[in-house]
Amino acid sequence: MKRIATMQDISCIGKCSLTVALPVISAMGIEAAVIPTAVLSTHTMFQGFTFCDLTKEIEGIFAHWKKEGFRFEALYTGYLGSFEQISLAKKLFSEFGENSIRLVDPCMADNGKLYAGFTPAFAKEMNSLCAIADIIVPNLTEASFLLDIPYQPEYDEAYIRDMLVKLTQSGAKKAVLTGVSFEKGKLGAYAYDSETKEYFYYANEEEPEHFHGTGDIWASTLCGALVNGKSFEESVKIACDFVKESIRLTLAEENHNTYGVNFEQAFPFLLKSL
Ligand code: PXL
């Protein structure tokens, strides 16, 4: 059976990071090995969350896995909370990444702003992790911080293509910009493969509300689809469609929750696309 190792936090409530990656990867028929970086009572968009750092556990986990000879089809990093965790993610790649897809989702910002606790210096360090990835999947805000350029909410296709080329010039082989829209009512992902020099864009009708955690669902699905042998382009499409369906089902529920989407109810839809 195929296996993905994913390194990110557990936000006990929040429908993001590991509480998304683990079920999505498992539902896609792949074993999910987890490297929990911290335990938080909720994600950081709530007030008053508790936080327990697990950085000190990580080297021991790697050493034990190494001794057992575990191998992974993909290594996928999400939200990382410190410079030290970025350095451990690099170690994960160097120790286990020889024949694995290395996917970095540089979770740190959205809507033009860094999440609480992050700095431009952290973004620079995150860029050094992106440099050794096969695929990076920033949103437009994260891409701006990675490239150290001002966030631009208005753009055209040439701007997006230029951004993708610059992102791969830092070292990543492929880059996908999420949350890209060229016309009102449409939202999608723009991808670039620096080895073939090919671009593609895939967009869906935009749902009327946006939710936290959808980037994590998107990246987990992309990773699962790739490990299932889908092409890069097909995997991007599967991830976009699953996120859209998860939002649609959330909005269809009266009194739906506001901190995350009903991705659990969209699994039958996801499995049909595999
Ligand atoms: O979805 C990204 C994410 C993951 N983990 C934690 C977060 C966030 C975004 O805010 O706070 C703890």
Side-chain angles (χ1 to χ4, degrees), residues 8-11 14-18 40 42-46 49 51 78-80 105 107-109 115-116 118 142 212-216:
Q8 40 194 320
D9 68 282
I10 298 185
S11 293
K15 294 196 186 219
C16 68
S17 41
L18 279 185
L40 293 82
T42 63
H43 63 54
T44 59
M45 299 295 176
F46 286 87
F49 59 87
F51 175 85
Y79 182 100
L80 302 173
D105 183 3
C107 297
M108 59 187 173
Y115 294 145
F118 292 126
E142 287 157 350
H212 201 70
T214 49
D216 300 350

Side-chain angles (χ1 to χ4, degrees), residues 8-243:
Q8 40 194 320
D9 68 282
I10 298 185
S11 293
C12 301
I13 289 187
K15 294 196 186 219
C16 68
S17 41
L18 279 185
T19 59
V20 162
L22 213 165
V24 169
I25 291 166
S26 301
M28 294 177 93
I30 301 159
E31 180 181 346
V34 299
I35 304 153
T37 53
V39 181
L40 293 82
S41 52
T42 63
H43 63 54
T44 59
M45 299 295 176
F46 286 87
Q47 296 289 313
F49 59 87
T50 68
F51 175 85
C52 172
D53 183 65
L54 298 176
T55 306
K56 290 202 165 31
E57 289 298 307
I58 297 174
E59 294 234 48
I61 293 172
F62 290 171
H64 186 204
W65 285 4
K66 198 89 197 160
K67 201 158 152 231
E68 294 288 341
F70 289 126
R71 301 200 169 277
F72 307 94
E73 271 71 22
L75 307 172
Y76 153 39
T77 67
Y79 182 100
L80 302 173
S82 64
F83 285 71
E84 197 179 348
Q85 287 181 359
I86 292 177
S87 142
L88 287 163
K90 289 179 185 168
K91 182 160 184 179
L92 174 72
F93 286 0
S94 66
E95 302 241 321
F96 299 96
E98 207 181 333
N99 296 307
S100 318
I101 300 166
R102 288 163 300 187
L103 172 69
V104 173
D105 183 3
C107 297
M108 59 187 173
D110 206 358
N111 302 311
K113 289 197 200 94
L114 287 166
Y115 294 145
F118 292 126
T119 59
F122 181 86
K124 195 166 175 215
E125 194 65 16
M126 185 61 96
N127 199 38
S128 70
L129 177 63
C130 289
I132 54 167
D134 294 303
I135 310 180
I136 60 171
V137 294
N139 61 36
L140 280 168
T141 307
E142 287 157 350
S144 308
F145 279 101
L146 290 173
L147 295 173
D148 196 18
I149 56 173
Y151 168 68
Q152 230 176 271
E154 307 279 329
Y155 48 79
D156 59 11
E157 201 162 344
Y159 179 84
I160 295 296
R161 286 187 172 217
D162 183 55
M163 211 173 198
L164 285 163
V165 170
K166 288 194 174 117
L167 284 167
T168 56
Q169 278 168 350
S170 301
K173 296 192 185 91
K174 298 182 176 79
V176 190
L177 278 169
T178 58
V180 174
S181 174
F182 300 111
E183 56 178 302
K184 213 169 152 38
K186 290 259 188 183
L187 190 66
Y190 211 119
Y192 176 62
D193 182 334
S194 69
E195 290 176 323
T196 61
K197 308 268 185 274
E198 280 171 348
Y199 298 88
F200 61 87
Y201 178 54
Y202 181 75
N204 276 318
E205 297 297 313
E206 185 174 7
E207 292 291 337
E209 275 183 55
H210 291 189
F211 290 87
H212 201 70
T214 49
D216 300 350
I217 297 171
W218 195 93
S220 304
T221 311
L222 179 87
C223 195
L226 290 167
V227 167
N228 269 315
K230 300 288 177 190
S231 69
F232 182 37
E233 188 160 357
E234 182 70 4
S235 300
V236 166
K237 181 175 176 302
I238 290 169
C240 289
D241 291 349
F242 180 49
V243 166

